[in-house]
Amino acid sequence: MGEVVALLVLAATLAAAVARPRWAPEWLVAGAGALLLVALGVISAAGARGALSDLGPTVGFLAALLLLADGSRRAGVFEAAGATMAIGARGRPRRLLAMVFLVAAATTAVLSLDATVVLLTPVVFATAARLRTSARPHVYACSHLANSASLLLPVSNLTNLLAFHQSHLSFIRFAALMTAPWLVALAVEWLALTRAFAGELARERPLAAAVRDRPRAPRYAPAVLAATLAGFALSSVVHVAAVWVAVAGALALAARQRPPARELIRAAEPAFLVFVLGLAVIVRAAGEHGLDAVVDALLPAGAGLPALLGIAAVSAVVANLVNNLPATLIVLPAATAGGAGPVLAMLVGVNVGPNLTYVGSLATLLWRRVLHAHDAPPDLAEFARLGALTVPAILLASTTALWLALRLV
């Protein structure tokens, strides 16, 4: 009975995250669901506290990254990126797509996938309008790279943050092992998207006169971001938790910009943080009542190439069934037993796999809302077709690249 109740609460929480009804926001459903499971004895109070304690530092890290991204927005970093993309495109859609790839990959890697979806995608819409070209190839690139390009750094995705603390890798070692899988993923995305949108990308468009006016590029915010990234790389060497580096970067931007306190609170997305914490308790309860055993039975053992491919595939399937965040919480304990290799293979699955369906990633759901806000709703058939072109190929190629990196790096 405990397993049934836990799974029902998990299903209700995920349904609220996908549908987002006004009367039942996902944070409320997750928080109430976690409290209900404790009240019914499905999970003990000690077990719930343990889940919250384990995830607490990661949630704090996430809040600091959200503040960093918002501070960059206020400083004009994304506006300057839009102007740079427009000028660099030289009136050619294919060059614009290349610029979007560069900016989206960098934004995802440094500021996380949410920044790419929420902050960069509207800029890409505006840039395509200035160039009088179709926005479709470029906004689809934002969606795909928000997921695929999040393989590189521990800070690129909440799933990475969760796995980073369990992998026992340094920041630099994590990045070194994931560089080849990241580059392979970008290459496959480029080949697939340029082929899928070949007709639109082949059209020449005249350069709008306004595009030649480059806005003044911010200096302070990029310098803070560079220093923060360097701090992340050095954090393991000097034995300072990376969360404090993120907090320092966020404070450096806030101290210069002095935004109202309510804006800082809103930028940290407290509702989403409550959702994440509630979901952690719910998944812990489901795991204690049999879900962990099911995952253990499905995941291959070992760190050889066949095992890593199997782990990536299973993780991708689970992400598309229950969303990538709960998939990480479900699969991570079993993957951790095999060492760093299986943990990183799991990340390939839960980060790349969500490009196959709308429900695979919270970032993809946010991306859909951005497109609807611009009166350009995505087409389900086209989304699925692009996912079919990219996801299986990236899972195979990036996991193989990871296997090689584990032996050579």
Side-chain angles (χ1 to χ4, degrees):
M1 180 59 71
E3 181 180 4
V4 172
V5 174
L7 291 176
L8 286 175
V9 171
L10 177 59
T13 302
L14 295 175
V18 173
R20 300 192 75 182
R22 292 184 179 180
W23 53 271
E26 64 267 29
W27 67 268
L28 180 59
V29 176
L35 291 174
L36 177 63
L37 293 177
V38 173
L40 294 177
V42 177
I43 183 172
S44 66
R49 284 195 301 270
L52 296 176
S53 177
D54 290 345
L55 203 60
T58 301
V59 169
F61 202 159
L62 174 62
L65 290 176
L66 292 171
L67 291 174
L68 265 176
D70 189 68
S72 300
R73 175 193 61 80
R74 285 195 304 271
V77 170
F78 291 94
E79 181 184 356
T84 300
M85 289 187 293
I87 294 171
R90 300 178 184 174
R92 299 185 180 93
R94 189 181 179 91
R95 285 184 62 91
L96 176 61
L97 183 63
M99 297 298 294
V100 170
F101 258 69
L102 290 174
V103 174
T107 300
T108 299
V110 177
L111 291 176
S112 87
L113 74 172
D114 289 332
T116 298
V117 168
V118 177
L119 301 177
L120 183 63
T121 302
V123 171
V124 169
F125 264 114
T127 303
R130 293 171 70 184
L131 288 176
R132 299 192 292 275
T133 190
S134 170
R136 287 173 61 246
H138 316 294
V139 296
Y140 271 104
C142 288
S143 170
H144 271 240
L145 294 188
N147 290 314
S148 298
S150 69
L151 291 174
L152 182 61
L153 300 178
V155 300
S156 305
N157 198 329
L158 178 56
T159 58
N160 295 15
L161 289 174
L162 292 169
F164 176 58
H165 294 294
Q166 299 296 325
S167 68
H168 303 296
L169 296 171
S170 69
F171 190 96
I172 295 176
R173 178 67 174 163
F174 183 105
L177 290 174
M178 294 302 269
T179 295
W182 181 71
L183 291 173
V184 167
L186 294 181
V188 174
E189 294 285 10
W190 173 260
L191 292 173
L193 291 178
T194 52
R195 179 179 178 182
F197 295 105
E200 291 170 79
L201 296 175
R203 299 171 188 166
E204 295 293 330
R205 297 286 181 178
L207 184 65
V211 175
R212 298 190 181 97
D213 300 326
R214 184 192 296 268
R216 188 173 182 178
R219 296 182 179 179
Y220 181 76
V224 169
L225 292 176
T228 303
L229 189 60
F232 288 149
L234 293 173
S235 60
S236 300
V237 178
V238 298
H239 303 292
V240 173
V243 61
W244 298 116
V245 178
V247 169
L251 288 175
L253 290 179
R256 185 181 181 92
Q257 297 166 349
R258 299 182 182 274
R262 63 180 179 276
E263 288 189 15
L264 288 175
I265 294 173
R266 185 166 57 247
E269 299 188 29
F272 180 63
L273 303 182
V274 170
F275 168 75
V276 172
L277 291 170
L279 186 62
V281 175
I282 294 168
V283 171
R284 176 72 65 89
E288 291 180 356
H289 287 274
L291 190 57
D292 285 351
V294 173
V295 173
D296 284 341
L298 290 174
L299 283 186
L305 180 58
L308 296 183
L309 288 170
I311 292 169
V314 170
S315 301
V317 171
V318 176
N320 281 290
L321 289 175
V322 301
N323 192 266
N324 64 342
L325 178 55
T328 302
L329 294 171
I330 292 168
V331 178
L332 182 58
T336 303
V343 169
L344 298 181
M346 177 211 68
L347 287 179
V348 174
V350 298
N351 289 0
V352 174
N355 279 333
L356 200 57
T357 65
Y358 286 151
V359 300
S361 167
L362 292 173
T364 304
L365 296 173
L366 289 173
W367 174 80
R368 285 184 65 203
R369 297 180 192 282
V370 171
L371 264 63
H372 279 280
H374 286 80
D375 295 320
D379 179 74
L380 176 59
E382 184 171 56
F383 186 92
R385 177 172 59 87
L386 291 174
L389 282 173
T390 58
V391 171
I394 295 176
L395 289 178
L396 176 61
S398 289
T399 306
T400 302
L402 171 63
W403 175 74
L404 290 171
L406 289 166
R407 282 149 182 76
L408 299 176
V409 177

